[in-house]
Amino acid sequence: MLGRDGNSNSELHCGGDLIVSNGGALSVFSGRTNGLAVDYGALVDVSGDIQIGAGAWLCPWSQTNDGGSVLFRARNLTVATNAGIDLTIDTSSTTDTKAGSVQLGVFNGTGGTQFLNNLTVTATDGTTAGAQVTLHGNISLDADGAGTAGSLVLN
């Protein structure tokens, strides 16, 4: 677990491959980005490959006050069968009109068995309708590559 306090912008630098296996999980919590020189809330910088083994999970979390998100840099990302990525994006605010908008590109299992399992987007604010969530393509969710449904939650 990296950056759990949500107030610091943690960085993880890995000089080789980053491997999550044996049912393990890597949870990375983003810090704030407002007023900072960087445009990410946490950084996972891997000079080699990121490999998510069978039964393992990669769980990035966006910052709940200003929507700062985790930036992953790697040569390649490999997600094994029966592994998964849960993605939670939270740009909500307790102040009216201050929630951050969310724009999502394509999520799919192109290349075989790499799937996004659960996607949760929260863009609510005080008492108004919240921010806009825009989908710019298909979002394919699958828990295991065998047709077990993943979930999409938009708040």
Side-chain angles (χ1 to χ4, degrees), residues 6-10 30-42 66 68:
N7 293 315
S8 59
N9 294 65
S10 300
S30 177
R32 301 174 195 275
T33 57
N34 288 350
L36 299 179
V38 296
D39 60 355
Y40 53 82
D66 74 3

Side-chain angles (χ1 to χ4, degrees), residues 49-130:
D49 298 342
I50 297 175
Q51 300 172 24
I52 311 300
W57 290 91
L58 179 61
C59 304
W61 296 80
S62 292
Q63 209 279 332
T64 58
N65 289 324
D66 74 3
S69 295
V70 180
L71 173 61
F72 288 90
R73 291 183 182 148
R75 183 176 51 209
N76 295 297
L77 170 65
T78 302
V79 181
T81 301
N82 296 325
I85 299 176
D86 283 345
L87 179 58
T88 300
I89 302 170
D90 187 344
T91 64
S92 63
S93 173
T94 56
T95 305
D96 288 349
T97 72
K98 297 299 181 186
S101 63
V102 176
Q103 298 194 30
L104 299 171
V106 174
F107 288 85
N108 62 33
T110 301
T113 58
Q114 302 87 11
F115 294 95
L116 183 64
N117 181 28
N118 297 309
L119 173 61
T120 303
V121 179
T122 303
T124 58
D125 61 16
T127 59
T128 62

